[in-house]
Amino acid sequence: MSKKLFFTDEERMLADAASTFLAEAAPVAHLRKLRDEGRNADPDLWKAMADLGWTGILVPESAGGSDMGHAAAGILASEMGKTLVTSPFLSTAVMAATALRQASDDRAQDALAGIASGETTYALALDEGAKFDPQATSLQARAEGNTFRLNGRKRFVGDGGHADRLLVLARTDGGLTLFDLLASSDGVSRHARPMIDSRDAADIEFDAVEATGEHVVGQVDDAMTVLRPAIEAGQAALAGEMAGLAAGAFAMTTEYLRDRKQFGVPIGAFQALQHRAAHLWCELELTTTAILNAGRKLDNDPENATLAVSLAKARATDTAQLAVREGVQMHGGIGMTDAFDMGFYMKRARVAAEWLGDYGHHAGVVAGLRGF
């Protein structure tokens, strides 16, 4: 594992500032309000995040960002997870920023500047089947003279309903190529997908969409060179968000154990519930360490971060699922009602478990890298 698996003073200050801001600007009640209004995005909240510098967390200083690194991005994602913030942070500030900074051309630098300022949002159009598998891409980008024509469909595009631009993975003659396209391009059709966690997602169809060499991120037929770091950055940050939501569910549960009384005493005094709460706390601590390790590896040794990232995502998935199950169980019947917030945590945990690879996918990666 990487050294220094604890927060630096700067990271602790970032976590404290984020916690204070989100508790006021985006508590769980904010998500409930958006859902009840039929919305899954809040442009004003995104602008406030940009003003705080969060959108530039992985953008180089030369493009207007703070470039604090992946560990810091994971800290922000964790704080967002605690209050179930819905925003394009993972797709835009983490994955798109990481992909674009792999390219050195002026166009990529301009795009990074747009991300840092909060003026441009992105979504990654990767998957076409029910499970995470970018290598199985069949969306075609056929060369026609000096242009490409994209035809096909992408499914479960996170933040795809409102994004200004799309990073689209397509199959070209010699492999896979990543394109940076306007979401409003001719031939692009977006179909919103209602998600149980009230997050923005869409299916996107491409009908003879025109792209040129200027739209290629990196090199033609070599998408994974720029995309792999972006995917791993997203997986690590998503793991951070899931650890945050697990911590939020745990805090809600322990508060209930202190307040709810049976037979004249708080139910938290019952040893069986104490054991379950203690077990969950231990799992949270281990998962938090794994996530910080993944961030440190991405910052210091990105070429060898895959094992740490998949371990973090697998552990976060398992821990988040445990936290919400225990939360519902220890709350009893009220935990199953829509009037109570625990259900929001359960729904977010379920969707996040599938995004960017489920537990089985990442457990398989860990097993393969360890020689099993």
Side-chain angles (χ1 to χ4, degrees):
M1 279 194 171
S2 300
K3 297 179 180 179
K4 297 183 179 179
L5 292 184
F6 51 84
F7 287 174
T8 65
D9 290 342
E10 187 178 29
E11 289 169 343
R12 194 168 299 282
M13 289 175 60
L14 177 66
D16 291 343
S19 177
T20 300
F21 169 76
L22 294 172
E24 180 178 348
V28 181
H30 180 259
L31 173 65
R32 182 183 290 276
K33 182 174 183 291
L34 289 177
R35 185 206 62 174
D36 292 347
E37 294 175 350
R39 297 192 293 143
N40 53 23
D42 183 350
D44 292 335
L45 178 61
W46 182 245
K47 182 181 183 304
M49 291 180 178
D51 291 341
L52 289 169
W54 294 4
T55 55
I57 194 75
L58 292 176
V59 174
E61 294 182 8
S62 61
S66 60
D67 202 12
M68 285 188 68
H70 295 279
I75 290 168
L76 287 180
S78 178
E79 294 301 326
M80 293 181 201
K82 290 177 182 177
T83 61
L84 303 179
V85 173
T86 175
S87 81
F89 178 77
L90 292 178
S91 297
T92 300
V94 176
M95 289 190 283
T98 302
L100 289 165
R101 68 183 297 164
Q102 309 303 311
S104 58
D105 55 272
D106 291 341
R107 187 175 177 280
Q109 292 300 303
D110 290 342
L112 286 166
I115 290 174
S117 68
E119 296 177 358
T120 306
T121 58
Y122 274 86
L124 271 69
L126 304 179
D127 290 319
E128 299 171 15
K131 291 291 184 179
F132 172 73
D133 190 5
Q135 296 284 2
T137 289
S138 61
L139 186 149
Q140 293 291 320
R142 298 191 181 279
E144 296 182 358
N146 295 324
T147 65
F148 296 90
R149 291 288 178 179
L150 278 66
N151 288 280
R153 184 182 185 185
K154 294 293 184 179
R155 299 180 60 192
F156 186 43
V157 179
D159 302 314
H162 297 284
D164 301 312
R165 303 193 68 88
L166 305 171
L167 291 181
V168 184
L169 184 63
R171 189 163 295 280
T172 41
D173 290 341
L176 296 174
T177 302
L178 188 66
F179 294 90
D180 180 353
L181 302 174
L182 272 172
S184 58
S185 297
D186 290 341
V188 175
S189 301
R190 295 191 278 188
H191 309 281
R193 293 195 63 170
M195 304 297 292
I196 61 171
D197 69 340
S198 304
R199 203 170 205 161
D200 176 22
D203 289 346
I204 304 180
E205 295 182 5
F206 299 82
D207 182 11
V209 177
E210 182 178 331
T212 68
E214 291 186 355
H215 295 111
V216 174
V217 181
Q219 301 296 321
V220 174
D221 299 331
D222 190 26
M224 296 313 292
T225 295
V226 298
L227 190 56
R228 183 186 64 81
I231 290 173
E232 292 187 350
Q235 290 165 338
L238 180 56
E241 180 181 301
M242 297 182 78
L245 78 85
F250 179 69
M252 184 181 296
T253 301
T254 52
E255 181 179 1
Y256 185 76
L257 295 181
R258 286 191 297 267
D259 294 342
R260 178 75 167 94
K261 291 184 178 181
Q262 288 185 355
F263 311 111
V265 298
I267 61 175
F270 301 149
Q271 192 174 57
L273 296 183
Q274 291 177 352
H275 287 172
R276 290 166 67 173
H279 170 65
L280 177 54
W281 181 85
C282 292
E283 292 299 312
L284 279 167
E285 289 296 300
L286 288 170
T287 297
T288 299
T289 301
I291 292 165
L292 186 55
N293 178 62
R296 295 278 188 259
K297 288 291 287 186
L298 286 169
D299 285 331
N300 300 317
D301 188 16
E303 294 300 318
N304 297 299
T306 302
L307 175 60
V309 169
S310 281
L311 176 62
K313 179 59 164 67
R315 276 210 61 92
T317 297
D318 194 47
T319 301
Q321 297 280 17
L322 175 64
V324 296
R325 287 197 307 268
E326 289 288 70
V328 170
Q329 288 291 320
M330 287 193 265
H331 277 88
I334 192 175
M336 296 295 294
T337 67
D338 183 71
F340 201 69
D341 288 342
M342 186 58 68
F344 286 102
Y345 285 93
M346 176 169 277
K347 292 169 184 175
R348 179 63 59 84
R350 188 67 193 90
V351 174
E354 294 293 326
W355 196 17
L356 300 178
D358 60 13
Y359 180 89
H361 170 86
H362 289 286
V365 172
V366 172
L369 290 173
R370 299 197 65 179
F372 294 104

PDB file of all heavy atoms in Angstrom, residues 140-151 171-173 179 207-213 220:
ATOM      1  N   GLN A 140     -20.053   2.306 -34.330  1.00  0.00           N
ATOM      2  CA  GLN A 140     -19.095   2.421 -35.419  1.00  0.00           C
ATOM      3  C   GLN A 140     -18.768   3.874 -35.741  1.00  0.00           C
ATOM      4  O   GLN A 140     -19.644   4.740 -35.769  1.00  0.00           O
ATOM      5  CB  GLN A 140     -19.634   1.753 -36.684  1.00  0.00           C
ATOM      6  CG  GLN A 140     -19.776   0.244 -36.574  1.00  0.00           C
ATOM      7  CD  GLN A 140     -18.427  -0.447 -36.506  1.00  0.00           C
ATOM      8  OE1 GLN A 140     -17.488  -0.073 -37.199  1.00  0.00           O
ATOM      9  NE2 GLN A 140     -18.335  -1.472 -35.658  1.00  0.00           N
ATOM     10  N   ALA A 141     -17.507   4.137 -35.998  1.00  0.00           N
ATOM     11  CA  ALA A 141     -17.060   5.422 -36.523  1.00  0.00           C
ATOM     12  C   ALA A 141     -16.335   5.132 -37.830  1.00  0.00           C
ATOM     13  O   ALA A 141     -15.152   4.793 -37.843  1.00  0.00           O
ATOM     14  CB  ALA A 141     -16.145   6.128 -35.535  1.00  0.00           C
ATOM     15  N   ARG A 142     -17.053   5.225 -38.925  1.00  0.00           N
ATOM     16  CA  ARG A 142     -16.492   4.871 -40.232  1.00  0.00           C
ATOM     17  C   ARG A 142     -15.836   6.091 -40.873  1.00  0.00           C
ATOM     18  O   ARG A 142     -16.423   7.177 -40.912  1.00  0.00           O
ATOM     19  CB  ARG A 142     -17.574   4.315 -41.156  1.00  0.00           C
ATOM     20  CG  ARG A 142     -18.202   3.027 -40.636  1.00  0.00           C
ATOM     21  CD  ARG A 142     -19.061   2.365 -41.695  1.00  0.00           C
ATOM     22  NE  ARG A 142     -19.682   1.150 -41.180  1.00  0.00           N
ATOM     23  CZ  ARG A 142     -19.073  -0.023 -41.095  1.00  0.00           C
ATOM     24  NH1 ARG A 142     -17.804  -0.124 -41.494  1.00  0.00           N
ATOM     25  NH2 ARG A 142     -19.694  -1.085 -40.618  1.00  0.00           N
ATOM     26  N   ALA A 143     -14.637   5.894 -41.368  1.00  0.00           N
ATOM     27  CA  ALA A 143     -13.911   6.986 -42.017  1.00  0.00           C
ATOM     28  C   ALA A 143     -14.514   7.261 -43.384  1.00  0.00           C
ATOM     29  O   ALA A 143     -14.742   6.343 -44.176  1.00  0.00           O
ATOM     30  CB  ALA A 143     -12.443   6.622 -42.159  1.00  0.00           C
ATOM     31  N   GLU A 144     -14.777   8.541 -43.650  1.00  0.00           N
ATOM     32  CA  GLU A 144     -15.276   8.991 -44.952  1.00  0.00           C
ATOM     33  C   GLU A 144     -14.454  10.202 -45.369  1.00  0.00           C
ATOM     34  O   GLU A 144     -14.762  11.338 -45.014  1.00  0.00           O
ATOM     35  CB  GLU A 144     -16.764   9.348 -44.878  1.00  0.00           C
ATOM     36  CG  GLU A 144     -17.668   8.174 -44.545  1.00  0.00           C
ATOM     37  CD  GLU A 144     -19.140   8.571 -44.543  1.00  0.00           C
ATOM     38  OE1 GLU A 144     -19.419   9.787 -44.760  1.00  0.00           O
ATOM     39  OE2 GLU A 144     -19.992   7.702 -44.322  1.00  0.00           O
ATOM     40  N   GLY A 145     -13.369   9.942 -46.096  1.00  0.00           N
ATOM     41  CA  GLY A 145     -12.468  11.028 -46.455  1.00  0.00           C
ATOM     42  C   GLY A 145     -11.763  11.558 -45.214  1.00  0.00           C
ATOM     43  O   GLY A 145     -11.091  10.812 -44.498  1.00  0.00           O
ATOM     44  N   ASN A 146     -11.946  12.836 -44.920  1.00  0.00           N
ATOM     45  CA  ASN A 146     -11.310  13.448 -43.752  1.00  0.00           C
ATOM     46  C   ASN A 146     -12.211  13.481 -42.524  1.00  0.00           C
ATOM     47  O   ASN A 146     -11.879  14.144 -41.540  1.00  0.00           O
ATOM     48  CB  ASN A 146     -10.877  14.883 -44.092  1.00  0.00           C
ATOM     49  CG  ASN A 146      -9.799  14.911 -45.159  1.00  0.00           C
ATOM     50  OD1 ASN A 146      -8.931  14.038 -45.189  1.00  0.00           O
ATOM     51  ND2 ASN A 146      -9.867  15.904 -46.037  1.00  0.00           N
ATOM     52  N   THR A 147     -13.353  12.782 -42.591  1.00  0.00           N
ATOM     53  CA  THR A 147     -14.293  12.804 -41.472  1.00  0.00           C
ATOM     54  C   THR A 147     -14.627  11.376 -41.040  1.00  0.00           C
ATOM     55  O   THR A 147     -14.235  10.400 -41.691  1.00  0.00           O
ATOM     56  CB  THR A 147     -15.595  13.530 -41.839  1.00  0.00           C
ATOM     57  OG1 THR A 147     -16.263  12.785 -42.870  1.00  0.00           O
ATOM     58  CG2 THR A 147     -15.314  14.938 -42.338  1.00  0.00           C
ATOM     59  N   PHE A 148     -15.345  11.283 -39.944  1.00  0.00           N
ATOM     60  CA  PHE A 148     -15.907  10.012 -39.466  1.00  0.00           C
ATOM     61  C   PHE A 148     -17.408  10.173 -39.362  1.00  0.00           C
ATOM     62  O   PHE A 148     -17.912  11.272 -39.112  1.00  0.00           O
ATOM     63  CB  PHE A 148     -15.359   9.653 -38.075  1.00  0.00           C
ATOM     64  CG  PHE A 148     -13.876   9.396 -38.034  1.00  0.00           C
ATOM     65  CD1 PHE A 148     -12.988  10.432 -37.790  1.00  0.00           C
ATOM     66  CD2 PHE A 148     -13.379   8.113 -38.205  1.00  0.00           C
ATOM     67  CE1 PHE A 148     -11.627  10.209 -37.736  1.00  0.00           C
ATOM     68  CE2 PHE A 148     -12.011   7.872 -38.145  1.00  0.00           C
ATOM     69  CZ  PHE A 148     -11.139   8.924 -37.907  1.00  0.00           C
ATOM     70  N   ARG A 149     -18.125   9.069 -39.511  1.00  0.00           N
ATOM     71  CA  ARG A 149     -19.564   9.036 -39.295  1.00  0.00           C
ATOM     72  C   ARG A 149     -19.851   8.029 -38.184  1.00  0.00           C
ATOM     73  O   ARG A 149     -19.525   6.844 -38.309  1.00  0.00           O
ATOM     74  CB  ARG A 149     -20.311   8.640 -40.560  1.00  0.00           C
ATOM     75  CG  ARG A 149     -20.264   9.692 -41.654  1.00  0.00           C
ATOM     76  CD  ARG A 149     -21.131  10.889 -41.308  1.00  0.00           C
ATOM     77  NE  ARG A 149     -21.031  11.926 -42.347  1.00  0.00           N
ATOM     78  CZ  ARG A 149     -21.697  13.063 -42.313  1.00  0.00           C
ATOM     79  NH1 ARG A 149     -22.517  13.316 -41.310  1.00  0.00           N
ATOM     80  NH2 ARG A 149     -21.549  13.952 -43.270  1.00  0.00           N
ATOM     81  N   LEU A 150     -20.461   8.523 -37.085  1.00  0.00           N
ATOM     82  CA  LEU A 150     -20.737   7.663 -35.938  1.00  0.00           C
ATOM     83  C   LEU A 150     -22.175   7.177 -35.986  1.00  0.00           C
ATOM     84  O   LEU A 150     -23.120   7.974 -36.146  1.00  0.00           O
ATOM     85  CB  LEU A 150     -20.513   8.423 -34.631  1.00  0.00           C
ATOM     86  CG  LEU A 150     -19.071   8.520 -34.115  1.00  0.00           C
ATOM     87  CD1 LEU A 150     -18.202   9.348 -35.057  1.00  0.00           C
ATOM     88  CD2 LEU A 150     -19.035   9.115 -32.704  1.00  0.00           C
ATOM     89  N   ASN A 151     -22.325   5.858 -35.866  1.00  0.00           N
ATOM     90  CA  ASN A 151     -23.647   5.238 -35.844  1.00  0.00           C
ATOM     91  C   ASN A 151     -23.691   4.190 -34.743  1.00  0.00           C
ATOM     92  O   ASN A 151     -22.800   3.332 -34.649  1.00  0.00           O
ATOM     93  CB  ASN A 151     -23.958   4.562 -37.187  1.00  0.00           C
ATOM     94  CG  ASN A 151     -24.226   5.567 -38.291  1.00  0.00           C
ATOM     95  OD1 ASN A 151     -25.325   6.108 -38.400  1.00  0.00           O
ATOM     96  ND2 ASN A 151     -23.210   5.818 -39.115  1.00  0.00           N
ATOM     97  N   ARG A 171     -15.803   2.378 -32.294  1.00  0.00           N
ATOM     98  CA  ARG A 171     -14.905   1.417 -32.951  1.00  0.00           C
ATOM     99  C   ARG A 171     -14.547   1.931 -34.342  1.00  0.00           C
ATOM    100  O   ARG A 171     -15.419   2.185 -35.175  1.00  0.00           O
ATOM    101  CB  ARG A 171     -15.566   0.036 -33.048  1.00  0.00           C
ATOM    102  CG  ARG A 171     -14.600  -1.052 -33.514  1.00  0.00           C
ATOM    103  CD  ARG A 171     -15.143  -2.428 -33.212  1.00  0.00           C
ATOM    104  NE  ARG A 171     -15.253  -2.673 -31.782  1.00  0.00           N
ATOM    105  CZ  ARG A 171     -14.240  -3.019 -30.993  1.00  0.00           C
ATOM    106  NH1 ARG A 171     -13.016  -3.125 -31.495  1.00  0.00           N
ATOM    107  NH2 ARG A 171     -14.457  -3.241 -29.706  1.00  0.00           N
ATOM    108  N   THR A 172     -13.252   2.098 -34.567  1.00  0.00           N
ATOM    109  CA  THR A 172     -12.737   2.509 -35.872  1.00  0.00           C
ATOM    110  C   THR A 172     -12.048   1.308 -36.519  1.00  0.00           C
ATOM    111  O   THR A 172     -12.005   0.215 -35.946  1.00  0.00           O
ATOM    112  CB  THR A 172     -11.770   3.695 -35.713  1.00  0.00           C
ATOM    113  OG1 THR A 172     -10.933   3.503 -34.565  1.00  0.00           O
ATOM    114  CG2 THR A 172     -12.551   4.997 -35.490  1.00  0.00           C
ATOM    115  N   ASP A 173     -11.500   1.508 -37.706  1.00  0.00           N
ATOM    116  CA  ASP A 173     -10.973   0.377 -38.471  1.00  0.00           C
ATOM    117  C   ASP A 173      -9.894  -0.408 -37.726  1.00  0.00           C
ATOM    118  O   ASP A 173      -9.814  -1.633 -37.837  1.00  0.00           O
ATOM    119  CB  ASP A 173     -10.404   0.871 -39.811  1.00  0.00           C
ATOM    120  CG  ASP A 173     -11.492   1.332 -40.768  1.00  0.00           C
ATOM    121  OD1 ASP A 173     -12.657   0.942 -40.559  1.00  0.00           O
ATOM    122  OD2 ASP A 173     -11.176   2.084 -41.712  1.00  0.00           O
ATOM    123  N   PHE A 179     -13.926  10.197 -29.020  1.00  0.00           N
ATOM    124  CA  PHE A 179     -14.301  11.456 -29.654  1.00  0.00           C
ATOM    125  C   PHE A 179     -14.908  12.406 -28.619  1.00  0.00           C
ATOM    126  O   PHE A 179     -15.650  11.984 -27.735  1.00  0.00           O
ATOM    127  CB  PHE A 179     -15.329  11.221 -30.766  1.00  0.00           C
ATOM    128  CG  PHE A 179     -14.808  10.430 -31.936  1.00  0.00           C
ATOM    129  CD1 PHE A 179     -14.911   9.049 -31.954  1.00  0.00           C
ATOM    130  CD2 PHE A 179     -14.224  11.076 -33.015  1.00  0.00           C
ATOM    131  CE1 PHE A 179     -14.438   8.315 -33.035  1.00  0.00           C
ATOM    132  CE2 PHE A 179     -13.748  10.348 -34.102  1.00  0.00           C
ATOM    133  CZ  PHE A 179     -13.847   8.966 -34.113  1.00  0.00           C
ATOM    134  N   ASP A 207     -26.765   8.924 -35.042  1.00  0.00           N
ATOM    135  CA  ASP A 207     -27.235   8.619 -36.391  1.00  0.00           C
ATOM    136  C   ASP A 207     -26.449   9.456 -37.389  1.00  0.00           C
ATOM    137  O   ASP A 207     -26.739  10.631 -37.620  1.00  0.00           O
ATOM    138  CB  ASP A 207     -28.728   8.909 -36.503  1.00  0.00           C
ATOM    139  CG  ASP A 207     -29.298   8.557 -37.870  1.00  0.00           C
ATOM    140  OD1 ASP A 207     -28.586   7.900 -38.668  1.00  0.00           O
ATOM    141  OD2 ASP A 207     -30.446   8.954 -38.151  1.00  0.00           O
ATOM    142  N   ALA A 208     -25.393   8.832 -37.957  1.00  0.00           N
ATOM    143  CA  ALA A 208     -24.534   9.496 -38.938  1.00  0.00           C
ATOM    144  C   ALA A 208     -23.978  10.809 -38.396  1.00  0.00           C
ATOM    145  O   ALA A 208     -23.933  11.833 -39.097  1.00  0.00           O
ATOM    146  CB  ALA A 208     -25.296   9.733 -40.243  1.00  0.00           C
ATOM    147  N   VAL A 209     -23.541  10.792 -37.153  1.00  0.00           N
ATOM    148  CA  VAL A 209     -22.982  11.984 -36.521  1.00  0.00           C
ATOM    149  C   VAL A 209     -21.588  12.233 -37.084  1.00  0.00           C
ATOM    150  O   VAL A 209     -20.736  11.342 -37.108  1.00  0.00           O
ATOM    151  CB  VAL A 209     -22.914  11.818 -34.991  1.00  0.00           C
ATOM    152  CG1 VAL A 209     -22.255  13.040 -34.352  1.00  0.00           C
ATOM    153  CG2 VAL A 209     -24.311  11.601 -34.424  1.00  0.00           C
ATOM    154  N   GLU A 210     -21.346  13.443 -37.531  1.00  0.00           N
ATOM    155  CA  GLU A 210     -20.070  13.778 -38.155  1.00  0.00           C
ATOM    156  C   GLU A 210     -19.026  14.172 -37.122  1.00  0.00           C
ATOM    157  O   GLU A 210     -19.300  14.930 -36.184  1.00  0.00           O
ATOM    158  CB  GLU A 210     -20.254  14.916 -39.150  1.00  0.00           C
ATOM    159  CG  GLU A 210     -18.971  15.300 -39.880  1.00  0.00           C
ATOM    160  CD  GLU A 210     -19.179  16.394 -40.904  1.00  0.00           C
ATOM    161  OE1 GLU A 210     -20.292  16.485 -41.459  1.00  0.00           O
ATOM    162  OE2 GLU A 210     -18.224  17.163 -41.150  1.00  0.00           O
ATOM    163  N   ALA A 211     -17.827  13.637 -37.280  1.00  0.00           N
ATOM    164  CA  ALA A 211     -16.692  14.008 -36.438  1.00  0.00           C
ATOM    165  C   ALA A 211     -15.463  14.128 -37.327  1.00  0.00           C
ATOM    166  O   ALA A 211     -15.359  13.458 -38.358  1.00  0.00           O
ATOM    167  CB  ALA A 211     -16.455  12.968 -35.353  1.00  0.00           C
ATOM    168  N   THR A 212     -14.550  14.987 -36.916  1.00  0.00           N
ATOM    169  CA  THR A 212     -13.303  15.160 -37.652  1.00  0.00           C
ATOM    170  C   THR A 212     -12.125  14.797 -36.758  1.00  0.00           C
ATOM    171  O   THR A 212     -12.291  14.456 -35.587  1.00  0.00           O
ATOM    172  CB  THR A 212     -13.145  16.609 -38.127  1.00  0.00           C
ATOM    173  OG1 THR A 212     -12.938  17.459 -36.982  1.00  0.00           O
ATOM    174  CG2 THR A 212     -14.390  17.083 -38.883  1.00  0.00           C
ATOM    175  N   GLY A 213     -10.932  14.891 -37.314  1.00  0.00           N
ATOM    176  CA  GLY A 213      -9.740  14.605 -36.532  1.00  0.00           C
ATOM    177  C   GLY A 213      -9.602  15.512 -35.328  1.00  0.00           C
ATOM    178  O   GLY A 213      -9.008  15.137 -34.310  1.00  0.00           O
ATOM    179  N   VAL A 220      -6.176   8.167 -32.998  1.00  0.00           N
ATOM    180  CA  VAL A 220      -7.133   7.241 -33.606  1.00  0.00           C
ATOM    181  C   VAL A 220      -6.693   5.802 -33.342  1.00  0.00           C
ATOM    182  O   VAL A 220      -5.501   5.486 -33.394  1.00  0.00           O
ATOM    183  CB  VAL A 220      -7.244   7.503 -35.125  1.00  0.00           C
ATOM    184  CG1 VAL A 220      -8.130   6.450 -35.795  1.00  0.00           C
ATOM    185  CG2 VAL A 220      -7.780   8.904 -35.389  1.00  0.00           C
TER     186      VAL A 220
END
